[in-house]
Amino acid sequence: DAGITQSPRHKVTETGTPVTLRCHQTENHRYMYWYRQDPGHGLRLIHYSYGVKDTDKGEVSDGYSVSRSKTEDFLLTLESATSSQTSVYFCAISRSDRGREQYFGPGTRLTVT
Amino acid sequence: KQEVTQIPAALSVPEGENLVLNCSFTDSAIYNLQWFRQDPGKGLTSLLLIQSSQREQTSGRLNASLDKSSGRSTLYIAASQPGDSATYLCAVSPGKTSGSRLTFGEGTQLTVNP
């Protein structure tokens, strides 16, 4: 599992509140990713990081921001949560020593009421 | 924009049957293709990774093939077991960047009946 943990694993929050999800890895991989998974849409990339303080947008980045101040941590923030952001969020890393194979964390189930 | 399609969306087979899951993608300029398994309520488990220069990869009862020029990959599962029941996802990464930003299909939900 490449030592990936996500916290919290479950969260219920109200519309308009900020929410931060954390992804932690133990193996110092350079690339980290945030995806969301929704019925009818599959998994879609939100943001990714290619190093400390180096991040870029993915396919569905509106309403989300990210930060990476340490190699091991990649934070996803919903600035003002909306019901459309109710989803399961997955963090992933890619291993350059294995042809960029991606490994995923266990996911965070977020419900915005 | 890359699009990934998986057919069928759902498949139910009796135990012991050999089966094939299909994945197609619209842009052949890929770096690699990855097959994942996802159990209900769980994360994704990587099954096989095929680089764009490779034709196939094997792991146990699983064999994945890649025809990059036609934009197709297949996942072959031999002698299926009830424990193989899960959703199988195909994903491709772009060839023009150093990051591995995956584009996913919506998956094939497999049920293997005892």
Side-chain angles (χ1 to χ4, degrees):
Chain A
D1 62 359
I4 304 169
T5 57
Q6 294 184 231
S7 59
R9 295 293 314 281
H10 301 272
K11 186 171 181 66
V12 179
T13 191
E14 294 184 348
T15 299
T17 60
V19 177
T20 296
L21 309 183
R22 179 180 183 243
C23 177
H24 179 79
Q25 57 144 330
T26 60
E27 299 182 354
N28 293 319
H29 296 293
R30 179 182 173 194
Y31 285 90
M32 298 184 75
Y33 309 82
W34 277 106
Y35 295 88
R36 61 177 287 176
Q37 184 175 34
D38 305 287
H41 292 280
L43 280 110
R44 293 175 293 175
L45 181 67
I46 305 171
H47 281 278
Y48 67 101
S49 170
Y50 47 97
V52 173
K53 298 186 180 179
D54 291 324
T55 64
D56 205 349
K57 296 179 179 179
E59 179 185 357
V60 290
S61 60
D62 287 348
Y64 301 94
S65 62
V66 290
S67 65
R68 193 168 178 199
S69 59
K70 298 184 291 184
T71 299
E72 59 265 36
D73 289 326
F74 192 29
L75 304 181
L76 176 71
T77 297
L78 288 64
E79 295 140 8
S80 177
T82 68
S83 58
S84 66
Q85 293 176 313
T86 292
S87 187
V88 181
Y89 291 86
F90 288 101
C91 172
I93 60 93
S94 61
R95 294 190 58 156
S96 57
D97 61 332
R98 292 190 180 180
R100 303 187 197 164
E101 186 171 10
Q102 283 202 18
Y103 295 85
F104 281 71
T108 294
R109 183 172 295 275
L110 177 68
T111 302
V112 183
T113 62
Chain B
K1 178 187 174 184
Q2 179 74 271
E3 294 183 358
V4 179
T5 303
Q6 292 188 245
I7 296 173
L11 183 63
S12 181
V13 300
E15 182 177 2
E17 190 162 301
N18 301 325
L19 57 100
V20 174
L21 308 181
N22 296 292
C23 172
S24 62
F25 46 96
T26 55
D27 185 348
S28 62
I30 64 169
Y31 184 82
N32 62 35
L33 183 145
Q34 202 167 346
W35 282 94
F36 294 90
R37 168 188 174 137
Q38 186 176 30
D39 293 288
K42 304 293 185 182
L44 281 69
T45 299
S46 179
L47 297 174
L48 289 164
L49 173 76
I50 310 178
Q51 300 293 349
S52 62
S53 59
Q54 297 175 320
R55 297 285 293 185
E56 64 179 298
Q57 282 287 337
T58 298
S59 176
R61 295 183 294 108
L62 305 180
N63 176 276
S65 68
L66 174 64
D67 184 342
K68 189 177 137 180
S69 61
S70 67
R72 294 181 181 180
S73 176
T74 61
L75 179 66
Y76 174 83
I77 303 177
S80 58
Q81 304 170 358
D84 294 330
S85 297
T87 296
Y88 291 80
L89 298 163
C90 164
V92 297
S93 67
K96 297 181 180 179
T97 67
S98 57
S100 181
R101 296 165 291 163
L102 294 177
T103 300
F104 281 84
E106 291 194 41
T108 294
Q109 186 174 0
L110 174 66
T111 302
V112 181
N113 301 300

